Amino acid sequence: MKKFLIFGVLLLGVLFLLPFLAPFDPTQVDLAQLKFPPSGKHLLGTDFLGRDELSRLFFALRTSVFIGLLSGVLAMIIAFAYAFLALNAPKMIQSLLLRFLDGFLSLPNLLLILLFGAFNQRAFGMLGLSLLLAVFSWGSVAKVIYDEFSNIATREFILNEKALGAGRLAIMFDQILPVAKSSVFVLFINTCAHAISAEALLSFFGLGLMVGEASLGNMLNEASQAIFTGVWWLVLTPGLAVFGIVFGLMLLGERVQKHG
């Protein structure tokens, strides 16, 4: 787990520094270099406004990963709060909380996110979009946390802690969480991956970040015309980036789950 955390911190550091390595200003419009294919000057080509695709990709990676991480953190906070209430509530209230959670999970979350984005009059900022994705993704996280923690809570060492008078909050975070840390970490990784793909989908349909903001979804949105004009690099670059990030996170989660 420590190795994975160190690797994650290093990766975040690289993503944070990427924009400083951009060879051009990602917002710089150059009408003399519209739709240039990859070359020595523009390694990934230019877009319909003559902007350097590599520079935009560097900024887009940071934006999309930041949204994924922030959405994952917010979803985990909401899920932990809800699971704690459900675990420690009286039987009747616990039953109501679990039934509400089941009903929430039965909703088509992606469709609701698209509808909410469509009715929103203004484009989202990074914080607003992260919160929106977290609000519609915490349910599955809370369900898994509740099931995992309720199983661990029946173990003998937890019952001994209760008998010794340990507080409920202390038991949950000092005793149960360390046992379930691998499962929680995998949940966090998967939530971040789904948030990154959801941001890409929303922005692709023009329902996510503000137009012009460098994100993988906006790059795909701007490249939607490229499919019919033969400008293949505008589709390939952000498409491979989304696939690589989501696949890499899923693979990381699988390895953490396998090795504990």
Side-chain angles (χ1 to χ4, degrees):
M1 182 66 72
K2 290 182 180 179
K3 292 180 180 179
F4 286 124
L5 289 176
I6 293 173
F7 175 76
V9 170
L10 291 175
L11 182 60
L12 288 177
V14 170
L15 288 172
F16 178 78
L17 294 174
L18 271 181
F20 297 101
L21 303 177
F24 297 93
D25 182 349
T27 62
Q28 179 182 347
V29 176
D30 188 351
L31 299 181
Q33 302 191 61
L34 303 182
K35 300 182 289 185
F36 273 28
S39 63
K41 183 179 180 180
H42 299 284
L43 296 180
L44 296 179
T46 62
D47 63 9
F48 290 98
L49 295 176
R51 297 173 297 188
D52 182 64
E53 192 74 355
L54 179 61
S55 300
R56 286 184 62 75
L57 178 64
F58 283 170
F59 279 82
L61 284 171
R62 186 177 68 174
T63 300
S64 295
V65 171
F66 175 80
I67 290 173
L69 289 175
L70 183 56
S71 177
V73 170
L74 293 174
M76 295 299 289
I77 292 174
I78 299 172
F80 266 109
Y82 197 90
F84 178 78
L85 288 175
L87 285 166
N88 296 286
K91 290 294 183 182
M92 182 178 295
I93 298 178
Q94 183 183 75
S95 179
L96 289 175
L97 290 173
L98 294 178
R99 296 294 77 75
F100 171 80
L101 185 57
D102 290 337
F104 181 78
L105 290 174
S106 68
L107 298 174
N109 287 346
L110 186 57
L111 178 60
L112 290 176
I113 292 174
L114 289 171
L115 287 174
F116 193 90
F119 284 112
N120 184 40
Q121 297 298 319
R122 298 181 300 173
F124 290 101
M126 287 193 291
L127 180 59
L129 184 56
S130 300
L131 182 59
L132 173 67
L133 297 175
V135 165
F136 287 103
S137 62
W138 68 268
S140 57
V141 180
K143 181 69 173 178
V144 175
I145 290 176
Y146 173 82
D147 291 338
E148 183 83 9
F149 281 30
S150 60
N151 289 332
I152 298 174
T154 60
R155 297 185 184 180
E156 186 175 351
F157 74 97
I158 300 296
L159 298 177
N160 292 336
E161 289 292 329
K162 291 181 179 179
L164 293 173
R168 295 176 178 178
L169 199 61
I171 289 175
M172 182 173 181
F173 288 99
D174 294 340
Q175 303 297 328
I176 298 179
L177 182 57
V179 178
K181 62 182 180 181
S182 295
S183 299
V184 171
F185 188 63
V186 172
L187 279 174
F188 174 69
I189 291 175
N190 290 340
T191 304
C192 293
H194 289 135
I196 291 172
S197 60
E199 180 278 323
L201 180 64
L202 279 173
S203 297
F204 175 75
F205 286 114
L207 304 175
L209 293 176
M210 293 178 288
V211 176
E213 184 82 28
S215 76
L216 296 176
N218 274 345
M219 290 181 71
L220 286 170
N221 174 273
E222 294 162 1
S224 58
Q225 312 169 50
I227 302 174
F228 308 103
T229 57
V231 190
W232 55 266
W233 57 90
L234 295 185
V235 179
L236 187 65
T237 298
L240 285 178
V242 173
F243 172 78
I245 292 175
V246 174
F247 180 76
L249 288 173
M250 292 297 186
L251 189 62
L252 176 61
E254 183 180 338
R255 288 185 64 85
V256 171
Q257 194 169 30
K258 181 178 178 180
H259 297 288

